[in-house]
Amino acid sequence: MSAVTQDPNVVGGESLDTTSRRVAGEPRRRRRPILPLIYWVVVGITMVPIVFMIVYSFNDVPTGRISFPWSGFTPYWYLNLGQVSGLTHAFATSIEIAVLSALISIVLGVPMSLAMERYRFWGRGALNATVYADIAAPSIVVGAASLSFFLSSSISTGFVTILLVHSTFNLAYVVVVLRARLSGAGTALEEAAGDLGASPVVAFRTVTLPLLLPGIIAGAMLSLAMSIDDYVITSFVAGPSVTFPLFVYGAAKVGLPPQVLCFGTIIFAVGLLLALVNALITRRAPRPAFDDE
Protein backbone atom coordinates (compact mmCIF):
# COMPACT_ATOMS: atom_id res chain seq x y z
CA MET A 1 0.00 0.00 0.00
CA SER A 2 1.38 3.35 -0.99
CA ALA A 3 2.29 5.79 1.76
CA VAL A 4 1.50 8.78 -0.44
CA THR A 5 -2.02 10.17 0.04
CA GLN A 6 -3.63 10.89 -3.32
CA ASP A 7 -5.67 14.09 -3.77
CA PRO A 8 -9.29 13.02 -4.33
CA ASN A 9 -9.82 16.04 -6.63
CA VAL A 10 -7.05 14.86 -8.98
CA VAL A 11 -7.65 11.93 -11.31
CA GLY A 12 -5.01 10.80 -13.72
CA GLY A 13 -2.99 13.99 -13.29
CA GLU A 14 -5.98 16.27 -14.04
CA SER A 15 -8.27 18.07 -11.63
CA LEU A 16 -11.94 17.09 -11.48
CA ASP A 17 -12.90 20.56 -12.77
CA THR A 18 -10.73 20.07 -15.85
CA THR A 19 -12.04 16.56 -16.38
CA SER A 20 -15.66 17.63 -16.04
CA ARG A 21 -15.12 20.45 -18.57
CA ARG A 22 -13.63 18.01 -21.07
CA VAL A 23 -16.49 15.53 -20.53
CA ALA A 24 -18.99 18.36 -21.13
CA GLY A 25 -17.31 19.13 -24.43
CA GLU A 26 -15.89 22.49 -23.35
CA PRO A 27 -12.63 23.17 -25.22
CA ARG A 28 -9.44 23.47 -23.17
CA ARG A 29 -8.36 27.07 -22.60
CA ARG A 30 -5.19 27.99 -24.43
CA ARG A 31 -2.76 30.58 -23.24
CA ARG A 32 -2.25 33.43 -25.69
CA PRO A 33 0.64 35.50 -24.28
CA ILE A 34 0.78 37.76 -27.37
CA LEU A 35 -2.58 39.42 -26.57
CA PRO A 36 -1.63 40.58 -23.02
CA LEU A 37 1.73 41.69 -24.43
CA ILE A 38 0.02 43.88 -27.06
CA TYR A 39 -2.29 45.27 -24.37
CA TRP A 40 0.56 46.30 -22.07
CA VAL A 41 2.58 47.79 -24.96
CA VAL A 42 -0.38 49.98 -25.96
CA VAL A 43 -1.01 50.99 -22.34
CA GLY A 44 2.69 51.80 -21.90
CA ILE A 45 2.76 54.02 -25.00
CA THR A 46 -0.33 55.97 -23.91
CA MET A 47 1.13 56.42 -20.43
CA VAL A 48 4.36 58.05 -21.63
CA PRO A 49 2.96 61.64 -21.87
CA ILE A 50 1.28 61.24 -18.48
CA VAL A 51 4.52 60.08 -16.86
CA PHE A 52 6.35 63.08 -18.34
CA MET A 53 3.60 65.39 -17.05
CA ILE A 54 3.90 64.00 -13.51
CA VAL A 55 7.71 64.04 -13.47
CA TYR A 56 8.13 67.55 -14.91
CA SER A 57 5.50 68.99 -12.58
CA PHE A 58 8.32 68.71 -9.98
CA ASN A 59 10.96 70.28 -12.23
CA ASP A 60 12.74 73.24 -10.62
CA VAL A 61 12.72 75.49 -13.69
CA PRO A 62 14.32 78.91 -12.97
CA THR A 63 12.26 80.73 -15.62
CA GLY A 64 8.87 79.80 -14.15
CA ARG A 65 7.87 78.31 -17.52
CA ILE A 66 7.74 74.67 -18.57
CA SER A 67 11.03 73.51 -20.05
CA PHE A 68 12.23 69.96 -20.55
CA PRO A 69 15.88 70.06 -19.42
CA TRP A 70 15.69 68.63 -15.88
CA SER A 71 16.84 71.28 -13.35
CA GLY A 72 16.19 69.48 -10.07
CA PHE A 73 13.35 68.31 -7.86
CA THR A 74 11.03 70.77 -6.11
CA PRO A 75 7.46 70.68 -4.73
CA TYR A 76 7.33 74.49 -5.02
CA TRP A 77 4.76 74.55 -7.84
CA TYR A 78 2.33 72.35 -5.88
CA LEU A 79 2.71 74.59 -2.83
CA ASN A 80 1.97 77.69 -4.95
CA LEU A 81 -0.86 76.55 -7.19
CA GLY A 82 -2.60 79.93 -6.95
CA GLN A 83 0.50 81.91 -7.91
CA VAL A 84 -0.52 82.28 -11.59
CA SER A 85 -3.23 84.88 -12.10
CA GLY A 86 -6.39 83.40 -13.60
CA LEU A 87 -5.28 79.77 -13.60
CA THR A 88 -6.95 78.74 -10.33
CA HIS A 89 -10.19 80.51 -11.27
CA ALA A 90 -10.22 78.83 -14.70
CA PHE A 91 -9.60 75.42 -13.08
CA ALA A 92 -12.39 76.01 -10.53
CA THR A 93 -14.75 77.03 -13.35
CA SER A 94 -13.99 73.81 -15.25
CA ILE A 95 -14.57 71.67 -12.15
CA GLU A 96 -17.83 73.46 -11.34
CA ILE A 97 -19.17 73.04 -14.88
CA ALA A 98 -18.02 69.40 -15.02
CA VAL A 99 -19.72 68.44 -11.74
CA LEU A 100 -22.96 70.28 -12.50
CA SER A 101 -23.19 68.92 -16.06
CA ALA A 102 -22.52 65.38 -14.78
CA LEU A 103 -25.31 65.70 -12.20
CA ILE A 104 -27.76 67.07 -14.77
CA SER A 105 -26.83 64.30 -17.23
CA ILE A 106 -27.36 61.58 -14.61
CA VAL A 107 -30.69 63.00 -13.40
CA LEU A 108 -32.01 63.16 -16.98
CA GLY A 109 -30.18 60.10 -18.28
CA VAL A 110 -31.51 57.50 -15.79
CA PRO A 111 -35.25 57.85 -16.66
CA MET A 112 -34.40 58.40 -20.32
CA SER A 113 -32.38 55.18 -20.57
CA LEU A 114 -35.03 53.19 -18.67
CA ALA A 115 -37.75 54.45 -21.03
CA MET A 116 -35.73 53.78 -24.19
CA GLU A 117 -34.60 50.30 -23.09
CA ARG A 118 -37.79 48.91 -21.55
CA TYR A 119 -40.71 50.61 -23.31
CA ARG A 120 -41.99 51.15 -26.84
CA PHE A 121 -43.39 54.61 -27.50
CA TRP A 122 -43.92 57.00 -30.39
CA GLY A 123 -40.70 58.75 -31.43
CA ARG A 124 -38.43 56.20 -29.75
CA GLY A 125 -36.51 55.59 -32.98
CA ALA A 126 -35.99 59.32 -33.60
CA LEU A 127 -34.84 59.80 -30.01
CA ASN A 128 -32.40 56.91 -30.34
CA ALA A 129 -31.01 58.40 -33.58
CA THR A 130 -30.65 61.81 -31.91
CA VAL A 131 -28.59 60.33 -29.06
CA TYR A 132 -26.13 58.64 -31.41
CA ALA A 133 -26.03 61.66 -33.75
CA ASP A 134 -25.04 63.81 -30.78
CA ILE A 135 -22.08 61.51 -30.13
CA ALA A 136 -21.07 61.18 -33.79
CA ALA A 137 -21.31 64.90 -34.65
CA PRO A 138 -17.93 66.70 -34.92
CA SER A 139 -17.22 69.07 -32.07
CA ILE A 140 -16.80 72.06 -34.38
CA VAL A 141 -20.27 71.43 -35.83
CA VAL A 142 -21.84 71.18 -32.37
CA GLY A 143 -20.05 74.34 -31.23
CA ALA A 144 -21.02 76.38 -34.28
CA ALA A 145 -24.64 75.17 -34.16
CA SER A 146 -24.89 75.93 -30.42
CA LEU A 147 -23.47 79.43 -30.90
CA SER A 148 -25.92 80.10 -33.75
CA PHE A 149 -28.82 78.99 -31.56
CA PHE A 150 -27.79 81.18 -28.63
CA LEU A 151 -27.22 84.24 -30.83
CA SER A 152 -30.55 83.80 -32.65
CA SER A 153 -32.28 83.39 -29.26
CA SER A 154 -30.57 86.51 -27.84
CA ILE A 155 -28.96 84.42 -25.08
CA SER A 156 -25.66 85.83 -23.81
CA THR A 157 -22.82 83.33 -23.88
CA GLY A 158 -20.96 82.54 -20.68
CA PHE A 159 -21.08 80.08 -17.76
CA VAL A 160 -24.74 79.09 -18.32
CA THR A 161 -24.33 78.38 -22.04
CA ILE A 162 -21.22 76.27 -21.38
CA LEU A 163 -23.19 74.30 -18.76
CA LEU A 164 -26.12 73.76 -21.15
CA VAL A 165 -23.94 72.52 -24.01
CA HIS A 166 -21.81 70.27 -21.78
CA SER A 167 -24.95 68.77 -20.21
CA THR A 168 -26.33 68.08 -23.68
CA PHE A 169 -23.39 66.11 -25.03
CA ASN A 170 -22.77 64.41 -21.67
CA LEU A 171 -26.39 63.23 -21.62
CA ALA A 172 -25.86 61.20 -24.79
CA TYR A 173 -22.86 59.36 -23.29
CA VAL A 174 -24.71 58.68 -20.03
CA VAL A 175 -27.70 57.23 -21.89
CA VAL A 176 -25.47 54.91 -23.95
CA VAL A 177 -23.63 53.66 -20.84
CA LEU A 178 -26.82 53.06 -18.85
CA ARG A 179 -28.56 51.34 -21.78
CA ALA A 180 -25.59 48.99 -22.05
CA ARG A 181 -26.01 48.21 -18.34
CA LEU A 182 -29.74 47.54 -18.82
CA SER A 183 -29.37 45.61 -22.08
CA GLY A 184 -30.68 42.08 -21.61
CA ALA A 185 -31.56 42.67 -17.97
CA GLY A 186 -35.01 41.52 -17.06
CA THR A 187 -37.64 43.02 -14.82
CA ALA A 188 -38.10 39.87 -12.74
CA LEU A 189 -36.64 41.39 -9.57
CA GLU A 190 -38.78 44.53 -9.81
CA GLU A 191 -41.87 42.38 -10.43
CA ALA A 192 -40.99 40.19 -7.44
CA ALA A 193 -40.62 43.29 -5.28
CA GLY A 194 -44.04 44.45 -6.49
CA ASP A 195 -45.58 41.05 -5.67
CA LEU A 196 -44.16 41.40 -2.14
CA GLY A 197 -45.92 44.72 -1.69
CA ALA A 198 -43.25 47.25 -2.65
CA SER A 199 -44.45 50.39 -4.37
CA PRO A 200 -42.86 51.39 -7.72
CA VAL A 201 -40.77 54.02 -5.93
CA VAL A 202 -39.53 51.51 -3.32
CA ALA A 203 -38.83 48.90 -6.03
CA PHE A 204 -36.81 51.45 -7.97
CA ARG A 205 -34.84 52.57 -4.90
CA THR A 206 -34.12 49.08 -3.56
CA VAL A 207 -33.79 47.02 -6.78
CA THR A 208 -33.32 49.07 -9.96
CA LEU A 209 -31.04 51.78 -8.58
CA PRO A 210 -28.45 49.35 -7.08
CA LEU A 211 -28.33 47.51 -10.41
CA LEU A 212 -27.75 50.79 -12.24
CA LEU A 213 -25.20 52.16 -9.75
CA PRO A 214 -22.02 50.97 -11.58
CA GLY A 215 -23.39 52.42 -14.83
CA ILE A 216 -24.29 55.68 -13.09
CA ILE A 217 -20.77 56.03 -11.67
CA ALA A 218 -19.20 55.15 -15.03
CA GLY A 219 -21.44 57.67 -16.81
CA ALA A 220 -20.62 60.37 -14.26
CA MET A 221 -16.87 59.74 -14.62
CA LEU A 222 -17.16 59.85 -18.40
CA SER A 223 -19.11 63.11 -18.16
CA LEU A 224 -16.50 64.67 -15.88
CA ALA A 225 -13.70 63.68 -18.24
CA MET A 226 -15.52 64.89 -21.35
CA SER A 227 -16.42 68.23 -19.77
CA ILE A 228 -12.99 69.04 -18.31
CA ASP A 229 -11.28 67.97 -21.53
CA ASP A 230 -13.47 69.89 -23.99
CA TYR A 231 -11.92 72.85 -25.76
CA VAL A 232 -13.50 73.12 -29.22
CA ILE A 233 -17.18 73.35 -28.26
CA THR A 234 -16.43 75.49 -25.21
CA SER A 235 -14.47 78.01 -27.28
CA PHE A 236 -17.66 78.78 -29.27
CA VAL A 237 -20.02 79.32 -26.32
CA ALA A 238 -17.70 80.51 -23.52
CA GLY A 239 -18.12 84.24 -24.01
CA PRO A 240 -16.17 86.00 -21.22
CA SER A 241 -15.85 82.80 -19.12
CA VAL A 242 -12.48 81.02 -19.14
CA THR A 243 -12.17 77.30 -18.48
CA PHE A 244 -8.98 75.33 -17.82
CA PRO A 245 -8.46 74.20 -21.48
CA LEU A 246 -9.09 77.76 -22.74
CA PHE A 247 -6.54 79.14 -20.24
CA VAL A 248 -3.93 76.54 -21.23
CA TYR A 249 -4.39 77.29 -24.93
CA GLY A 250 -4.04 81.03 -24.33
CA ALA A 251 -1.02 80.67 -22.03
CA ALA A 252 0.76 78.33 -24.46
CA LYS A 253 1.47 81.30 -26.73
CA VAL A 254 3.79 82.91 -24.12
CA GLY A 255 4.93 79.79 -22.24
CA LEU A 256 3.04 77.55 -19.84
CA PRO A 257 3.61 77.86 -16.08
CA PRO A 258 4.52 74.58 -14.29
CA GLN A 259 1.28 74.82 -12.29
CA VAL A 260 -0.53 73.63 -15.43
CA LEU A 261 1.26 70.29 -15.09
CA CYS A 262 0.37 70.23 -11.37
CA PHE A 263 -3.35 70.69 -12.09
CA GLY A 264 -3.12 68.03 -14.83
CA THR A 265 -1.51 65.61 -12.38
CA ILE A 266 -4.22 66.30 -9.80
CA ILE A 267 -6.96 65.63 -12.37
CA PHE A 268 -5.28 62.36 -13.40
CA ALA A 269 -4.86 61.22 -9.77
CA VAL A 270 -8.48 61.98 -8.89
CA GLY A 271 -9.71 60.24 -12.06
CA LEU A 272 -7.61 57.18 -11.28
CA LEU A 273 -8.97 57.08 -7.72
CA LEU A 274 -12.56 57.32 -8.98
CA ALA A 275 -11.89 54.52 -11.49
CA LEU A 276 -10.61 52.26 -8.71
CA VAL A 277 -13.66 53.05 -6.57
CA ASN A 278 -15.96 52.30 -9.52
CA ALA A 279 -14.17 48.99 -10.15
CA LEU A 280 -14.61 48.04 -6.49
CA ILE A 281 -18.32 48.94 -6.53
CA THR A 282 -18.82 47.04 -9.82
CA ARG A 283 -17.29 43.88 -8.35
CA ARG A 284 -19.56 44.03 -5.32
CA ALA A 285 -22.72 45.13 -7.15
CA PRO A 286 -25.36 42.50 -7.99
CA ARG A 287 -25.42 41.31 -11.57
CA PRO A 288 -28.52 42.19 -13.63
CA ALA A 289 -31.13 39.46 -13.87
CA PHE A 290 -31.70 38.36 -17.45
CA ASP A 291 -35.02 37.44 -18.98
CA ASP A 292 -35.62 33.79 -19.65
CA GLU A 293 -37.57 34.64 -22.78
Side-chain angles (χ1 to χ4, degrees):
M1 184 176 180
S2 174
V4 178
T5 303
Q6 186 175 8
D7 187 349
N9 294 323
V10 176
V11 177
E14 291 185 343
S15 67
L16 290 178
D17 291 340
T18 303
T19 305
S20 59
R21 286 200 302 268
R22 297 184 63 182
V23 171
E26 183 178 340
R28 177 183 295 179
R29 293 181 180 179
R30 297 179 178 177
R31 293 183 178 181
R32 300 180 184 275
I34 188 65
L35 296 180
L37 179 62
I38 294 174
Y39 169 80
W40 284 113
V41 169
V42 173
V43 170
I45 293 174
T46 57
M47 287 295 293
V48 169
I50 297 175
V51 171
F52 269 86
M53 177 187 69
I54 297 172
V55 171
Y56 279 90
S57 66
F58 295 97
N59 191 11
D60 187 15
V61 286
T63 60
R65 301 294 176 186
I66 296 175
S67 60
F68 290 98
W70 182 255
S71 304
F73 177 86
T74 179
Y76 177 81
W77 313 117
Y78 282 93
L79 300 176
N80 295 274
L81 288 173
Q83 189 180 47
V84 181
S85 175
L87 176 57
T88 304
H89 184 265
F91 182 77
T93 301
S94 282
I95 296 298
E96 190 174 358
I97 290 174
V99 172
L100 290 176
S101 63
L103 289 175
I104 294 173
S105 302
I106 293 298
V107 170
L108 297 178
V110 170
M112 189 173 171
S113 58
L114 284 170
M116 294 178 67
E117 193 62 31
R118 292 186 172 177
Y119 301 99
R120 301 290 182 268
F121 52 89
W122 183 86
R124 179 175 175 271
L127 183 60
N128 192 39
T130 302
V131 169
Y132 285 100
D134 193 18
I135 296 176
S139 297
I140 193 170
V141 174
V142 176
S146 301
L147 178 61
S148 301
F149 171 77
F150 292 136
L151 292 178
S152 61
S153 304
S154 300
I155 299 175
S156 300
T157 55
F159 183 90
V160 176
T161 53
I162 300 174
L163 179 61
L164 289 174
V165 174
H166 283 210
S167 301
T168 301
F169 68 69
N170 282 340
L171 177 62
Y173 289 97
V174 169
V175 169
V176 170
V177 171
L178 291 179
R179 288 191 66 184
R181 179 69 181 173
L182 289 169
S183 179
T187 58
L189 294 178
E190 289 95 330
E191 293 173 354
D195 293 340
L196 294 174
S199 65
V201 175
V202 173
F204 174 80
R205 180 173 57 82
T206 58
V207 177
T208 308
L209 191 59
L211 292 175
L212 284 176
L213 187 58
I216 291 174
I217 296 176
M221 291 178 56
L222 186 59
S223 299
L224 291 172
M226 294 293 295
S227 180
I228 293 176
D229 184 60
D230 182 73
Y231 169 79
V232 177
I233 298 177
T234 307
S235 65
F236 281 92
V237 300
S241 297
V242 179
T243 61
F244 184 64
L246 296 181
F247 180 91
V248 172
Y249 179 77
K253 299 174 183 177
V254 295
L256 290 174
Q259 285 86 347
V260 170
L261 299 181
C262 299
F263 279 115
T265 303
I266 293 172
I267 293 174
F268 173 74
V270 173
L272 184 62
L273 178 62
L274 292 176
L276 293 175
V277 172
N278 183 46
L280 182 62
I281 293 176
T282 302
R283 291 185 62 181
R284 294 186 176 183
R287 294 182 179 275
F290 290 87
D291 284 332
D292 295 328
E293 297 177 359

